Amino acid sequence: MDLNEELRTADWRKASKSGSNGGDCIEVAPLSGGRVAIRDTERPGQVPFVVTASVWDAFLDGAKRGEFDF
């Protein structure tokens, strides 16, 4: 399956805690090869970012450690 087809049929999901913020959040979808697609919920038609498993893991690790907190 090519990437465009995989993105069209991807199982998009967003954080359960994002429901009360008016929809300003991102969605993620697992892809083949451990990759992860990321898109803006307000612009689902835009081409999503696709990152490798190691990039996604580094992002999650940073988020858990508070690296992106303001």
Side-chain angles (χ1 to χ4, degrees):
M1 177 183 312
D2 75 347
L3 180 58
N4 288 327
E5 179 64 23
E6 196 170 2
L7 289 169
R8 272 193 299 279
T9 61
D11 183 22
W12 293 98
R13 61 183 185 263
K14 62 181 182 174
S16 59
K17 293 186 178 186
S18 67
S20 63
N21 69 3
D24 296 333
C25 56
I26 61 169
E27 294 176 302
V28 298
L31 302 174
S32 63
R35 298 171 301 167
V36 176
I38 307 162
R39 71 180 182 187
D40 184 340
T41 56
E42 294 181 340
R43 294 174 184 84
Q46 272 191 325
V47 178
F49 292 101
V50 176
V51 297
T52 63
S54 61
V55 169
W56 181 247
D57 290 342
F59 170 75
L60 290 179
D61 182 58
K64 289 175 185 175
R65 289 186 292 114
E67 253 180 64
F68 310 112
D69 295 352
F70 292 102

